[in-house]
Amino acid sequence: MKIAIVCYPTFGGSGVVATELGIALANRGHEIHFITYRQPVRLELLSNKIYFHEVHVPEYPLFHYQPYELALSSKLVDTIKLFGIELLHVHYAIPHAYAGYMAKKMLEEEGIYIPMVTTLHGTDITLVGKHPFYRPAVNFSINQSDIVTSVSQNLKESTLELFDIKKDIEVIPNFIDKRKYSMHFTDCQRSLMASEDEKIITHISNFRKVKRIPDVIHIFNKIQKQLPAKLIMVGEGPEKEGAERLCEELGLANKVIFLGNSNEIDRILCFSDLFLLPSETESFGLAALEAMINRVAVISSNTGGIPEVNRQGITGYLSDVGNINEMAENALKILSDDQTLELFKSNAAKVAMDFDILKVLPLYEAVYEKAFLARHESLQQN
Ligand code: GMT
């Protein structure tokens, strides 16, 4: 099938999922067209089945806000016509489902009917989308999608609670491709980051408020008082500067390493023992799953869709948001004895395999097939 994928090209989870999905679909023989404002960070264009089409938004001084949705929907119309694209898959409702709907309508005027699948990722619903300024448009474009999917059961329930949705929402969880990780290297080079007796604790995110970065630091502070440890902080975002300051204040500067954004998170996770994800909310927690497949135990909050990924007492522990004392205690339970740590690490890798791409990809393919057939049936009826 010829499929256009619209996503954010940045380091956020939704863009990563969309990109990895596109690459995997191309490996299965589909022709994939990524349409976004920059080449997605995890996309390497070394396949004749993968195309990237950049959306340009020319600056015009009259506009206080440059109209990205308009440029995106025009680009969709042109690309869909030029390449004979058969299905549109938009990741993240804002503004992608809205722009996709406009493109569909413009194409219909020309007798081209294209089904649209919308995948909800989390903040498009729970943080941004529900705001009264956006809600009517988000509600409308979700209902206008031919098929709607969400990345967790919890996100499906939140969407039904927060919006007036008339469509069924299919849950298709996020996924990982173990083969990608195990192919790269065998030597984790742990010694680059810590001495032999130190445990390595990692956090990866876009450093926004919702990630509760100060909690990460405070949990680590409590852990390192009990056993030698290093904290590796990966990512960039508005909370990073404050986090660096907090580390200084707590006297942790030489125990916390800020690495910035990285394309090598598998390399970092490879030498990590524990992953911290104390988020305020998280529709799924892809970063935790990526940690787990790399044999890293997870200490997280019990919010949103995280319990669908991190299993209490098996792959790690979950606590109420903000309960940093319990999170630190649980971290110490896992870290203080090698046998226990090894058990949690191997459990994490085992449970992560429930989300293997080979299990999840056919679910998306089935959805595409369904959307395609439904579109054709409705055309025949009219
Ligand atoms: O919060 C982020 O890290 C970015 C955000 C995004 O939209 O890219 O992530 C959301 O989508 C990810 C992929 O489906 C999920 O794993 C994250 O849990 C979700 N973030 C939130 O719900 C806060």
Side-chain angles (χ1 to χ4, degrees), residues 12-14 17 92 121-123 151 174 206 208 211 281-286:
S14 64
V17 169
Y92 209 89
H121 278 274
T123 43
V151 299
N174 288 331
N206 47 22
R208 282 178 302 140
K211 304 293 172 184
T281 174
E282 203 68 65
S283 71
F284 183 89
L286 182 65

Side-chain angles (χ1 to χ4, degrees), residues 32 43 45 53 63 69 73 94 103 121 131-132 175 192 202-203 235 253 262 271 277 311 325 329 334 349 355 364 382:
I32 303 300
L43 182 64
L45 288 168
H53 310 278
F63 298 147
E69 292 90 314
S73 53
I94 308 170
H121 278 274
H131 193 284
F175 54 84
L192 289 178
T202 301
H203 171 79
S262 171
F271 48 59
L277 190 67
R311 311 275 157 81
N325 285 333
E329 277 161 28
I334 296 176
F355 301 88
Y364 275 115
N382 295 329

Side-chain angles (χ1 to χ4, degrees), residues 172-183:
I172 303 187
N174 288 331
F175 54 84
I176 28 88
D177 185 353
K178 182 183 169 9
R179 287 145 289 271
K180 268 199 168 166
Y181 296 108
S182 45
M183 253 163 39

